[in-house]
Amino acid sequence: MHFPGAHILSVNQFERADVEHLFDVADSMVPYAHRERMTKVLDGAILGNMFFEPSTRTRLSFGCAFNLLGGEVRETTDIKTSSISKGESLYDTARVISGYNDIIVMRHPQAGSVAEFARASRVPVINAGDGPNEHPSQALLDLYTIRKELSSHGQGIEGMHIAMVGDLKHGRTVHSLSQLIQLYPNITFTLISPTELRMPGEIVEELRNNGHTVIETEDMEQGLVGNDTVYLTRIQEERFSTKMEADVYRGRFRLNEAIYTRYCQPSTVIMHPLPRDSREDANELDNDLNQHPNLAIFRQTDNGVLVRMALFALTLDVWQQIERTSREVNWYTERRF
Ligand code: NCD
């Protein structure tokens, strides 16, 4: 794929070589994200960060990534205060907003909306989640994390076993991640969900047609056995017509230290896109695993900054200029971990 000027809308745009190039660029962002060096390579550039659905880490990490490259961030975070609430079409909004920014990141509740917006935009658009459909930058940071975690155990992505747990019907993170991992051969997916919340049939069929093994089950304990990674998700309450409908599934699948120790292999990496639902009736990923060395959830969020910096550096075509424009930072930078 040709990155400069590209919209990033779906994981299906990527070949394996594109993903690996992006990961190399993400690796080169470490000194900047760790505040050892700074760059102004995007000095003067403006990001329009448009979030028409709740978000914490996606919005902040895209903003932070752009700032770390020296650019400025403008935010629109509420559909009610935007002209969309006056009946303005996505086409008109895109024509207008793309005149004010150099690149746009957008999250919207409707599947396909970000692609529709991108068709009318004059600048690159990155999909930060379009309803239940896709979340490509999350899948990229998840796969980047998987690669790093597995390589620290001397393993690669090829032939890996991954369990995905929870609301696989509405979860855009698992839709994107499963389709992205399949760029690597011979993956075994164990999809653990209530029957009503199974992964969409088209995705399962695509994975099988591409030679991967897919096991679908409601039995979490047996499903956890033999995986290199377990990826937990939240019941996507906002995609149900009533909260009560979502309540039926809340807390059905929980991972805690006792279950982990009993069913997972000792090296299994624990992941979650966050937010985890920590209310007592859900508690899908228990706090008793917080100190576990295989809990990668906060390494995922840190990696999100690197991967999003790489996406900006590639789509705005500055990735080769960064080192040349960089210098040491002046302030105290030591971080506590
Ligand atoms: C996810 C999302 O918004 O799809 N969060 C995220 O971006 N890290 C997952 C979720 O909300 O459950």
Side-chain angles (χ1 to χ4, degrees):
M1 113 179 225
H2 184 67
F3 278 103
H7 300 305
I8 308 292
L9 301 172
S10 161
V11 291
N12 295 322
Q13 290 171 245
F14 295 93
E15 305 281 346
R16 179 167 161 176
D18 305 320
V19 171
E20 288 175 358
H21 178 39
L22 184 114
F23 289 173
D24 288 343
V25 176
D27 285 341
S28 74
M29 298 299 169
V30 168
Y32 305 95
H34 287 183
R35 322 299 268 151
E36 289 151 19
R37 297 195 67 74
M38 61 178 289
T39 169
K40 288 278 177 199
V41 76
L42 288 184
D43 193 16
I46 300 170
L47 162 69
N49 218 12
M50 301 178 58
F51 278 74
F52 299 127
E53 256 195 348
S55 173
T56 307
R57 63 229 92 226
T58 307
R59 180 169 65 83
L60 291 177
S61 65
F62 266 119
C64 166
F66 208 73
N67 288 150
L68 285 167
L69 293 169
E72 287 180 32
V73 181
R74 290 211 190 114
E75 305 240 326
T76 304
T77 52
D78 190 356
I79 223 160
K80 291 196 281 303
T81 58
S82 136
S83 283
I84 291 183
S85 68
K86 296 183 188 169
E88 185 168 63
S89 66
L90 280 170
Y91 176 86
D92 286 4
T93 311
R95 298 302 293 175
V96 174
I97 305 285
S98 59
Y100 303 155
N101 298 288
D102 298 288
I103 186 162
I104 293 169
V105 170
M106 185 174 179
R107 171 173 285 187
H108 190 283
Q110 232 172 293
S113 55
V114 182
E116 187 184 333
F117 182 94
R119 278 194 290 278
S121 169
R122 293 173 275 172
V123 298
V125 175
I126 301 180
N127 180 5
D130 60 327
N133 185 37
E134 274 228 42
H135 194 348
S137 66
Q138 178 73 40
L140 289 163
L141 79 86
D142 287 337
L143 188 58
Y144 180 77
T145 304
I146 291 172
R147 188 181 76 145
K148 257 192 183 167
E149 298 288 322
L150 293 188
S151 80
S152 74
H153 305 150
Q155 262 180 286
I157 302 169
E158 294 187 8
M160 76 173 288
H161 289 229
I162 182 167
M164 294 181 167
V165 187
D167 185 352
L168 307 184
K169 177 180 178 190
H170 304 107
R172 55 192 171 201
T173 63
V174 281
H175 299 167
S176 289
L177 180 58
S178 54
Q179 292 177 87
L180 188 66
I181 303 183
Q182 63 157 341
L183 290 175
Y184 292 76
N186 197 22
I187 308 295
T188 300
F189 296 89
T190 302
L191 305 178
I192 304 169
S193 71
T195 315
E196 303 82 2
L197 302 183
R198 273 156 72 165
M199 182 72 91
E202 316 84 79
I203 297 182
V204 173
E205 203 180 297
E206 187 192 326
L207 299 176
R208 288 196 175 126
N209 288 343
N210 289 332
H212 305 289
T213 305
V214 183
I215 300 150
E216 294 185 276
T217 178
E218 281 198 276
D219 181 345
M220 176 164 179
E221 287 158 1
Q222 287 318 310
L224 288 177
V225 174
N227 288 288
D228 304 299
T229 299
V230 51
Y231 189 99
L232 300 139
T233 64
R234 177 180 68 85
I235 300 298
Q236 306 282 295
E237 171 179 311
E238 64 278 34
R239 312 277 176 231
F240 290 79
S241 28
T242 63
K243 184 178 165 295
M244 257 162 55
E245 274 178 58
D247 284 344
V248 175
Y249 304 106
R250 208 188 305 283
R252 175 90 66 95
F253 300 118
R254 292 178 167 170
L255 188 67
N256 57 30
E257 197 178 10
I259 295 173
Y260 180 87
T261 310
R262 177 139 185 228
Y263 296 101
C264 295
Q265 37 190 50
S267 60
T268 303
V269 180
I270 306 163
M271 295 177 63
H272 192 303
L274 302 181
R276 55 176 152 169
D277 189 344
S278 294
R279 287 171 289 193
E280 212 175 315
D281 57 343
N283 204 23
E284 62 222 11
L285 175 54
D286 201 290
N287 285 330
D288 69 1
L289 283 162
N290 280 358
Q291 302 309 320
H292 198 288
N294 295 338
L295 184 78
I297 57 176
F298 302 118
R299 295 193 284 277
Q300 271 173 280
T301 52
D302 283 351
N303 289 337
V305 174
L306 303 176
V307 166
R308 289 173 173 135
M309 287 176 84
L311 277 173
F312 288 134
L314 285 161
T315 49
L316 295 175
D317 203 19
V318 292
W319 65 281
Q320 285 160 308
Q321 299 171 45
I322 293 174
E323 220 171 282
R324 192 157 45 76
T325 62
S326 81
R327 63 173 171 84
E328 277 184 11
V329 302
N330 299 322
W331 58 88
Y332 177 79
T333 60
E334 200 176 309
R335 304 245 158 159
R336 277 188 292 271
F337 288 99

